[in-house]
Amino acid sequence: MRTLEDGQPAARRHDETVNPQEGKAPFVDLHASYVELKAEIDAAWERVMRSGRYLLGPEVESFEAEFAAYCGGAHCVAVGSGCDALELILRAHGIGPGDEVIVPAHTFIATWLAVTAVGARPVPVEPESGTYTLGPAPIEAAVTSRTRAVLPVHLYGHPADLAAVTAVAVRHNLLVVEDAAQATGARCRGLRVGAGSAPVAFSFHPSKNLGAMGDGGAVVTSDADLARRIRMLRNYGSRTQYHHEVQGTNSRLDELQAAILRVKLTRLDEWNARRAAVAARYHREMARPVGPWELVLPQTAPWAEPVWHQFVIRSVHREELRWRLAEKGIDTMIHYPVPVHRSPAYSGTVTGPLPLTERLAGEVLSLPIGPHMPADQIEAVVSTLIRILEDAPEPAHRHPE
Ligand SMILES: *Cc1c(COP(=O)(O)O)cnc(C)c1O
Protein backbone atom coordinates (compact mmCIF):
# COMPACT_ATOMS: atom_id res chain seq x y z
CA MET A 1 0.00 0.00 0.00
CA ARG A 2 1.44 3.33 -1.04
CA THR A 3 0.99 6.19 1.35
CA LEU A 4 0.49 9.89 0.85
CA GLU A 5 4.06 10.56 1.89
CA ASP A 6 5.29 8.81 -1.26
CA GLY A 7 4.02 11.85 -3.13
CA GLN A 8 2.38 9.55 -5.64
CA PRO A 9 -0.44 10.99 -7.69
CA ALA A 10 -3.71 10.17 -6.01
CA ALA A 11 -4.98 8.21 -8.99
CA ARG A 12 -2.25 5.66 -8.31
CA ARG A 13 -3.21 5.48 -4.70
CA HIS A 14 -6.87 5.06 -5.61
CA ASP A 15 -5.99 2.34 -8.08
CA GLU A 16 -5.77 -0.06 -5.20
CA THR A 17 -9.35 0.45 -4.12
CA VAL A 18 -11.58 2.12 -6.66
CA ASN A 19 -9.79 1.62 -9.93
CA PRO A 20 -7.70 -1.52 -9.71
CA GLN A 21 -6.74 -2.03 -13.36
CA GLU A 22 -4.57 -0.13 -15.79
CA GLY A 23 -6.26 1.61 -18.69
CA LYS A 24 -9.19 2.96 -16.72
CA ALA A 25 -10.14 6.52 -15.93
CA PRO A 26 -12.17 7.74 -12.96
CA PHE A 27 -14.20 10.84 -13.78
CA VAL A 28 -12.28 13.11 -11.44
CA ASP A 29 -9.77 12.84 -8.62
CA LEU A 30 -10.31 15.65 -6.13
CA HIS A 31 -7.71 14.29 -3.76
CA ALA A 32 -4.84 14.72 -6.23
CA SER A 33 -4.42 18.45 -5.65
CA TYR A 34 -3.89 17.78 -1.95
CA VAL A 35 -1.25 15.19 -2.72
CA GLU A 36 0.57 17.68 -4.95
CA LEU A 37 0.47 20.47 -2.35
CA LYS A 38 0.41 18.48 0.88
CA ALA A 39 3.29 20.25 2.63
CA GLU A 40 1.95 23.74 1.85
CA ILE A 41 -1.67 22.92 2.63
CA ASP A 42 -0.78 21.21 5.90
CA ALA A 43 1.27 24.24 6.93
CA ALA A 44 -1.59 26.61 6.03
CA TRP A 45 -4.08 24.48 7.90
CA GLU A 46 -1.91 24.33 11.00
CA ARG A 47 -1.30 28.09 10.89
CA VAL A 48 -5.05 28.68 11.09
CA MET A 49 -5.63 26.04 13.76
CA ARG A 50 -3.01 27.66 15.98
CA SER A 51 -4.16 31.22 15.30
CA GLY A 52 -7.45 31.08 17.15
CA ARG A 53 -9.04 33.15 14.33
CA TYR A 54 -11.51 31.04 12.38
CA LEU A 55 -13.84 33.54 10.69
CA LEU A 56 -13.24 36.89 8.95
CA GLY A 57 -9.58 36.98 9.90
CA PRO A 58 -6.29 37.57 8.12
CA GLU A 59 -6.51 34.55 5.78
CA VAL A 60 -9.82 35.70 4.28
CA GLU A 61 -8.54 39.24 4.02
CA SER A 62 -5.39 38.10 2.22
CA PHE A 63 -7.26 35.69 -0.01
CA GLU A 64 -9.68 38.45 -1.02
CA ALA A 65 -6.78 40.71 -2.01
CA GLU A 66 -4.95 37.91 -3.84
CA PHE A 67 -8.02 36.66 -5.69
CA ALA A 68 -9.05 40.18 -6.75
CA ALA A 69 -5.51 40.72 -8.06
CA TYR A 70 -5.57 37.37 -9.88
CA CYS A 71 -8.86 38.25 -11.61
CA GLY A 72 -7.84 41.84 -12.26
CA GLY A 73 -10.91 43.01 -10.34
CA ALA A 74 -10.97 45.86 -7.86
CA HIS A 75 -12.81 44.19 -4.96
CA CYS A 76 -13.36 40.62 -3.78
CA VAL A 77 -15.79 39.62 -1.04
CA ALA A 78 -15.49 35.99 0.02
CA VAL A 79 -18.76 34.28 0.93
CA GLY A 80 -20.10 30.87 1.87
CA SER A 81 -20.71 29.43 -1.61
CA GLY A 82 -21.14 30.22 -5.29
CA CYS A 83 -24.89 30.03 -4.83
CA ASP A 84 -24.69 32.65 -2.06
CA ALA A 85 -22.42 34.86 -4.17
CA LEU A 86 -25.09 35.04 -6.89
CA GLU A 87 -27.91 35.57 -4.44
CA LEU A 88 -26.09 38.33 -2.53
CA ILE A 89 -25.31 40.22 -5.76
CA LEU A 90 -29.02 40.18 -6.65
CA ARG A 91 -30.10 41.14 -3.11
CA ALA A 92 -27.57 43.95 -2.93
CA HIS A 93 -29.16 45.38 -6.09
CA GLY A 94 -32.62 45.17 -4.58
CA ILE A 95 -33.84 42.62 -7.11
CA GLY A 96 -36.86 40.78 -5.72
CA PRO A 97 -40.56 39.98 -6.11
CA GLY A 98 -42.06 41.26 -9.36
CA ASP A 99 -38.68 41.35 -11.11
CA GLU A 100 -37.55 39.08 -13.91
CA VAL A 101 -34.01 37.84 -14.45
CA ILE A 102 -32.99 36.30 -17.76
CA VAL A 103 -31.05 33.06 -17.18
CA PRO A 104 -29.71 30.31 -19.42
CA ALA A 105 -32.06 27.34 -19.67
CA HIS A 106 -29.00 25.11 -19.97
CA THR A 107 -27.11 25.50 -16.68
CA PHE A 108 -26.68 24.07 -13.22
CA ILE A 109 -29.77 24.69 -11.07
CA ALA A 110 -27.87 27.04 -8.71
CA THR A 111 -28.09 29.84 -11.29
CA TRP A 112 -31.89 29.74 -11.09
CA LEU A 113 -32.00 29.13 -7.34
CA ALA A 114 -30.24 32.43 -6.68
CA VAL A 115 -32.98 34.22 -8.62
CA THR A 116 -35.88 32.48 -6.89
CA ALA A 117 -34.18 32.87 -3.50
CA VAL A 118 -34.60 36.66 -3.75
CA GLY A 119 -38.21 36.25 -4.90
CA ALA A 120 -37.60 37.19 -8.54
CA ARG A 121 -38.65 35.14 -11.56
CA PRO A 122 -36.06 33.34 -13.70
CA VAL A 123 -36.82 33.68 -17.42
CA PRO A 124 -34.92 30.93 -19.22
CA VAL A 125 -33.55 31.30 -22.72
CA GLU A 126 -31.82 28.89 -25.06
CA PRO A 127 -28.02 28.72 -25.29
CA GLU A 128 -25.88 29.28 -28.38
CA SER A 129 -25.47 25.93 -30.09
CA GLY A 130 -21.66 26.14 -30.38
CA THR A 131 -20.51 27.24 -26.93
CA TYR A 132 -23.65 26.43 -24.87
CA THR A 133 -23.54 29.94 -23.38
CA LEU A 134 -25.98 32.88 -23.60
CA GLY A 135 -26.06 34.84 -26.83
CA PRO A 136 -27.64 38.27 -27.46
CA ALA A 137 -30.63 37.37 -29.69
CA PRO A 138 -32.61 35.22 -27.23
CA ILE A 139 -31.93 37.73 -24.45
CA GLU A 140 -33.32 40.53 -26.61
CA ALA A 141 -36.42 38.45 -27.32
CA ALA A 142 -37.02 37.71 -23.62
CA VAL A 143 -36.84 41.28 -22.30
CA THR A 144 -40.09 42.62 -20.80
CA SER A 145 -40.92 45.71 -18.76
CA ARG A 146 -40.17 43.67 -15.63
CA THR A 147 -36.70 42.49 -16.64
CA ARG A 148 -34.06 43.79 -14.25
CA ALA A 149 -31.01 41.64 -14.92
CA VAL A 150 -29.42 39.07 -17.18
CA LEU A 151 -27.31 36.29 -15.75
CA PRO A 152 -24.84 34.78 -18.25
CA VAL A 153 -23.13 31.57 -17.12
CA HIS A 154 -19.60 30.75 -18.27
CA LEU A 155 -20.62 27.14 -18.65
CA TYR A 156 -18.09 24.30 -18.71
CA GLY A 157 -15.33 26.94 -18.38
CA HIS A 158 -16.15 28.74 -21.64
CA PRO A 159 -16.97 32.43 -21.18
CA ALA A 160 -20.23 33.80 -22.50
CA ASP A 161 -19.86 36.60 -25.06
CA LEU A 162 -19.88 39.46 -22.55
CA ALA A 163 -19.53 42.17 -25.17
CA ALA A 164 -22.67 40.98 -26.94
CA VAL A 165 -24.61 40.36 -23.72
CA THR A 166 -23.61 43.75 -22.32
CA ALA A 167 -24.68 45.53 -25.50
CA VAL A 168 -28.22 44.16 -25.10
CA ALA A 169 -28.19 44.88 -21.37
CA VAL A 170 -27.16 48.50 -21.90
CA ARG A 171 -29.93 48.98 -24.46
CA HIS A 172 -32.56 47.78 -21.97
CA ASN A 173 -30.95 49.16 -18.83
CA LEU A 174 -30.37 45.69 -17.33
CA LEU A 175 -27.86 44.66 -14.73
CA VAL A 176 -25.42 41.97 -15.92
CA VAL A 177 -24.43 39.39 -13.27
CA GLU A 178 -21.91 36.76 -14.32
CA ASP A 179 -22.00 33.19 -13.00
CA ALA A 180 -18.34 32.19 -13.23
CA ALA A 181 -18.60 29.18 -10.91
CA GLN A 182 -17.09 26.98 -13.64
CA ALA A 183 -14.73 29.53 -15.17
CA THR A 184 -12.14 30.74 -12.66
CA GLY A 185 -9.22 32.01 -14.73
CA ALA A 186 -10.99 32.08 -18.11
CA ARG A 187 -10.58 35.07 -20.42
CA CYS A 188 -13.02 36.80 -22.72
CA ARG A 189 -11.37 38.98 -25.40
CA GLY A 190 -8.17 38.93 -23.39
CA LEU A 191 -9.88 40.15 -20.23
CA ARG A 192 -9.92 37.78 -17.28
CA VAL A 193 -13.40 36.87 -16.01
CA GLY A 194 -13.78 39.20 -13.02
CA ALA A 195 -11.89 42.10 -14.58
CA GLY A 196 -14.90 43.55 -16.37
CA SER A 197 -17.55 45.98 -15.18
CA ALA A 198 -20.23 43.45 -14.16
CA PRO A 199 -20.25 41.77 -10.74
CA VAL A 200 -19.08 38.15 -10.95
CA ALA A 201 -19.93 35.18 -8.73
CA PHE A 202 -17.32 32.46 -8.24
CA SER A 203 -17.62 29.07 -6.56
CA PHE A 204 -14.87 27.23 -4.69
CA HIS A 205 -16.79 23.97 -4.41
CA PRO A 206 -14.15 21.20 -4.29
CA SER A 207 -14.88 20.13 -7.88
CA LYS A 208 -14.39 23.60 -9.40
CA ASN A 209 -11.15 24.69 -11.06
CA LEU A 210 -10.14 26.50 -7.87
CA GLY A 211 -11.64 24.23 -5.23
CA ALA A 212 -11.60 24.44 -1.45
CA MET A 213 -11.98 21.47 0.90
CA GLY A 214 -15.54 22.42 1.63
CA ASP A 215 -17.89 25.11 0.41
CA GLY A 216 -16.83 28.60 -0.55
CA GLY A 217 -17.52 31.38 -3.00
CA ALA A 218 -16.72 34.98 -3.83
CA VAL A 219 -18.04 38.09 -5.48
CA VAL A 220 -15.58 40.10 -7.56
CA THR A 221 -16.64 43.57 -8.58
CA SER A 222 -15.33 46.93 -9.72
CA ASP A 223 -18.06 48.63 -7.69
CA ALA A 224 -16.80 49.66 -4.24
CA ASP A 225 -20.31 50.34 -2.95
CA LEU A 226 -21.56 46.91 -4.05
CA ALA A 227 -18.58 45.29 -2.32
CA ARG A 228 -19.38 47.22 0.86
CA ARG A 229 -23.06 46.15 0.79
CA ILE A 230 -22.19 42.49 0.21
CA ARG A 231 -19.65 42.63 3.04
CA MET A 232 -22.48 43.76 5.28
CA LEU A 233 -25.01 41.24 3.95
CA ARG A 234 -22.67 38.27 4.46
CA ASN A 235 -22.21 39.19 8.13
CA TYR A 236 -25.75 39.68 9.54
CA GLY A 237 -26.11 43.07 7.89
CA SER A 238 -23.50 44.66 10.12
CA ARG A 239 -20.20 46.46 9.76
CA THR A 240 -19.76 46.87 13.49
CA GLN A 241 -20.62 43.92 15.69
CA TYR A 242 -24.22 44.03 17.01
CA HIS A 243 -25.07 47.11 14.90
CA HIS A 244 -27.30 45.85 12.11
CA GLU A 245 -27.96 48.25 9.26
CA VAL A 246 -29.79 45.84 6.95
CA GLN A 247 -31.33 42.36 7.22
CA GLY A 248 -28.32 40.34 6.23
CA THR A 249 -27.47 36.69 6.49
CA ASN A 250 -24.58 34.47 7.51
CA SER A 251 -22.46 33.57 4.49
CA ARG A 252 -18.74 33.64 5.12
CA LEU A 253 -15.75 31.83 3.75
CA ASP A 254 -13.92 30.43 6.78
CA GLU A 255 -10.24 30.93 7.57
CA LEU A 256 -9.31 27.30 6.92
CA GLN A 257 -10.81 27.35 3.43
CA ALA A 258 -9.24 30.74 2.69
CA ALA A 259 -5.80 29.48 3.74
CA ILE A 260 -6.16 26.41 1.49
CA LEU A 261 -7.42 28.51 -1.42
CA ARG A 262 -4.42 30.85 -1.07
CA VAL A 263 -2.10 27.89 -1.64
CA LYS A 264 -4.10 26.52 -4.56
CA LEU A 265 -4.48 29.92 -6.23
CA THR A 266 -0.72 29.97 -6.85
CA ARG A 267 -1.14 26.85 -9.03
CA LEU A 268 -4.38 27.73 -10.79
CA ASP A 269 -2.88 28.95 -14.06
CA GLU A 270 -0.67 25.88 -14.29
CA TRP A 271 -3.62 23.60 -13.53
CA ASN A 272 -5.83 25.34 -16.08
CA ALA A 273 -3.04 24.96 -18.65
CA ARG A 274 -2.93 21.22 -17.92
CA ARG A 275 -6.69 21.02 -18.43
CA ALA A 276 -6.27 22.84 -21.74
CA ALA A 277 -3.60 20.33 -22.79
CA VAL A 278 -5.96 17.42 -22.13
CA ALA A 279 -8.70 19.23 -24.07
CA ALA A 280 -6.33 19.84 -26.99
CA ARG A 281 -5.42 16.17 -27.05
CA TYR A 282 -9.10 15.13 -27.08
CA HIS A 283 -9.77 17.57 -29.91
CA ARG A 284 -6.83 16.29 -31.94
CA GLU A 285 -7.68 12.64 -31.52
CA MET A 286 -11.40 13.00 -32.08
CA ALA A 287 -11.34 15.39 -35.03
CA ARG A 288 -13.18 13.37 -37.66
CA PRO A 289 -16.22 13.58 -39.91
CA VAL A 290 -19.43 13.49 -37.89
CA GLY A 291 -20.10 9.82 -38.76
CA PRO A 292 -22.85 7.51 -37.53
CA TRP A 293 -22.44 8.58 -33.90
CA GLU A 294 -23.15 12.18 -34.91
CA LEU A 295 -20.42 13.23 -32.53
CA VAL A 296 -20.16 16.94 -31.71
CA LEU A 297 -17.03 18.29 -30.02
CA PRO A 298 -17.02 21.39 -27.83
CA GLN A 299 -16.30 24.63 -29.72
CA THR A 300 -14.17 27.52 -28.56
CA ALA A 301 -15.13 30.99 -29.76
CA PRO A 302 -12.18 32.82 -31.37
CA TRP A 303 -12.27 35.49 -28.64
CA ALA A 304 -12.44 33.01 -25.73
CA GLU A 305 -9.82 31.37 -23.54
CA PRO A 306 -11.79 28.69 -21.75
CA VAL A 307 -10.52 26.85 -18.66
CA TRP A 308 -12.06 23.45 -19.50
CA HIS A 309 -13.98 22.85 -16.31
CA GLN A 310 -15.64 20.10 -18.35
CA PHE A 311 -14.98 18.61 -21.77
CA VAL A 312 -18.48 18.01 -23.07
CA ILE A 313 -19.15 16.05 -26.25
CA ARG A 314 -22.54 15.31 -27.78
CA SER A 315 -24.02 12.32 -29.51
CA VAL A 316 -27.54 11.23 -30.39
CA HIS A 317 -26.28 7.82 -29.21
CA ARG A 318 -25.14 9.20 -25.86
CA GLU A 319 -26.51 6.35 -23.74
CA GLU A 320 -24.74 3.69 -25.79
CA LEU A 321 -21.53 5.72 -25.89
CA ARG A 322 -21.72 6.09 -22.14
CA TRP A 323 -22.22 2.43 -21.33
CA ARG A 324 -19.60 1.33 -23.82
CA LEU A 325 -17.07 3.65 -22.18
CA ALA A 326 -18.16 2.45 -18.73
CA GLU A 327 -17.63 -1.14 -19.83
CA LYS A 328 -13.96 -0.27 -20.37
CA GLY A 329 -13.64 1.53 -17.06
CA ILE A 330 -13.97 5.08 -18.44
CA ASP A 331 -16.22 7.12 -16.17
CA THR A 332 -18.28 9.92 -17.65
CA MET A 333 -20.92 12.28 -16.33
CA ILE A 334 -23.91 14.16 -17.74
CA HIS A 335 -24.06 17.91 -17.18
CA TYR A 336 -27.01 17.99 -16.87
CA PRO A 337 -29.45 15.08 -17.32
CA VAL A 338 -32.64 17.03 -16.50
CA PRO A 339 -33.10 20.60 -17.76
CA VAL A 340 -33.83 22.91 -14.84
CA HIS A 341 -37.33 23.72 -16.13
CA ARG A 342 -38.11 19.97 -16.20
CA SER A 343 -36.98 19.48 -12.59
CA PRO A 344 -39.77 18.95 -10.07
CA ALA A 345 -38.31 21.98 -8.24
CA TYR A 346 -39.45 24.26 -11.09
CA SER A 347 -42.39 22.30 -12.45
CA GLY A 348 -45.18 24.50 -13.72
CA THR A 349 -43.12 27.68 -13.59
CA VAL A 350 -41.89 27.83 -17.19
CA THR A 351 -43.87 27.82 -20.38
CA GLY A 352 -42.61 28.03 -23.91
CA PRO A 353 -40.53 25.52 -25.83
CA LEU A 354 -36.83 25.08 -25.10
CA PRO A 355 -35.99 22.46 -27.72
CA LEU A 356 -32.22 22.90 -27.81
CA THR A 357 -31.95 22.74 -24.03
CA GLU A 358 -34.03 19.54 -23.96
CA ARG A 359 -31.98 18.07 -26.76
CA LEU A 360 -28.73 18.86 -24.95
CA ALA A 361 -29.95 17.06 -21.82
CA GLY A 362 -30.31 13.94 -23.95
CA GLU A 363 -27.02 14.25 -25.82
CA VAL A 364 -24.27 15.79 -23.67
CA LEU A 365 -21.54 13.65 -22.19
CA SER A 366 -18.65 14.93 -20.07
CA LEU A 367 -15.34 13.10 -20.45
CA PRO A 368 -12.82 12.88 -17.62
CA ILE A 369 -10.62 15.97 -17.52
CA GLY A 370 -8.48 17.55 -14.84
CA PRO A 371 -5.06 18.92 -14.02
CA HIS A 372 -3.98 15.70 -12.33
CA MET A 373 -5.12 13.21 -14.92
CA PRO A 374 -2.24 10.76 -15.45
CA ALA A 375 -1.00 10.25 -19.01
CA ASP A 376 -2.13 6.62 -19.06
CA GLN A 377 -5.68 7.67 -18.23
CA ILE A 378 -5.76 10.27 -21.00
CA GLU A 379 -4.46 7.53 -23.28
CA ALA A 380 -7.16 5.12 -22.09
CA VAL A 381 -9.97 7.61 -22.77
CA VAL A 382 -8.66 8.44 -26.23
CA SER A 383 -7.96 4.90 -27.39
CA THR A 384 -11.23 3.53 -26.00
CA LEU A 385 -13.27 6.30 -27.58
CA ILE A 386 -11.60 5.93 -30.96
CA ARG A 387 -12.25 2.19 -30.93
CA ILE A 388 -15.93 2.73 -30.09
CA LEU A 389 -16.35 5.41 -32.76
CA GLU A 390 -15.00 3.04 -35.39
CA ASP A 391 -17.95 0.69 -34.74
CA ALA A 392 -21.45 1.59 -35.81
CA PRO A 393 -23.83 2.37 -32.96
CA GLU A 394 -26.84 0.16 -32.37
CA PRO A 395 -29.79 2.09 -33.86
CA ALA A 396 -32.07 1.06 -30.99
CA HIS A 397 -30.10 3.21 -28.58
CA ARG A 398 -30.61 6.45 -30.46
CA HIS A 399 -31.92 9.19 -28.24
CA PRO A 400 -35.59 9.83 -29.10
CA GLU A 401 -36.02 13.34 -30.53
C1 LIG B 1 -21.21 25.09 -8.85
C2 LIG B 1 -22.07 26.07 -9.52
C3 LIG B 1 -22.78 27.05 -8.80
C4 LIG B 1 -22.90 27.06 -7.32
O1 LIG B 1 -21.73 27.04 -6.60
P1 LIG B 1 -21.75 26.45 -5.12
O2 LIG B 1 -20.45 26.92 -4.56
O3 LIG B 1 -21.85 24.97 -5.23
O4 LIG B 1 -22.92 27.05 -4.41
C5 LIG B 1 -23.46 28.02 -9.50
N1 LIG B 1 -23.50 28.01 -10.85
C6 LIG B 1 -22.86 27.08 -11.56
C7 LIG B 1 -22.94 27.16 -13.06
C8 LIG B 1 -22.14 26.07 -10.94
O5 LIG B 1 -21.53 25.14 -11.68
Side-chain angles (χ1 to χ4, degrees), residues 367-386:
L367 300 180
I369 192 166
H372 298 92
M373 211 177 151
D376 66 318
Q377 287 181 12
I378 301 168
E379 223 47 61
V381 174
V382 164
S383 62
T384 308
L385 248 170
I386 287 174

Side-chain angles (χ1 to χ4, degrees), residues 205-323:
H205 179 277
S207 71
K208 304 293 160 86
N209 290 40
L210 177 63
M213 290 174 167
D215 276 313
V219 175
V220 172
T221 175
S222 58
D223 180 344
D225 189 53
L226 176 67
R228 183 188 59 81
R229 278 176 285 153
I230 291 177
R231 249 175 236 295
M232 241 189 318
L233 286 174
R234 76 171 172 187
N235 193 33
Y236 308 116
S238 65
R239 280 182 288 187
T240 309
Q241 201 175 18
Y242 305 133
H243 294 267
H244 306 282
E245 299 169 49
V246 291
Q247 291 175 10
T249 185
N250 173 1
S251 180
R252 300 172 299 215
L253 184 73
D254 65 64
E255 289 284 289
L256 286 169
Q257 300 306 335
I260 291 163
L261 288 168
R262 290 181 67 197
V263 175
K264 290 190 172 187
L265 182 59
T266 65
R267 305 309 203 281
L268 182 60
D269 282 341
E270 184 192 328
W271 288 351
N272 281 342
R274 285 197 234 155
R275 286 176 183 271
V278 179
R281 177 83 201 280
Y282 284 167
H283 268 291
R284 245 187 348 266
E285 299 283 354
M286 283 188 276
R288 60 187 59 237
V290 173
W293 291 86
E294 297 177 41
L295 192 73
V296 179
L297 299 182
Q299 289 177 24
T300 299
W303 40 263
E305 277 177 55
V307 288
W308 299 104
H309 177 61
Q310 301 296 350
F311 190 95
V312 178
I313 62 175
R314 279 170 66 190
S315 170
V316 291
H317 306 284
R318 194 262 312 278
E319 294 310 313
E320 182 180 349
L321 194 53
R322 189 167 200 218
W323 66 250

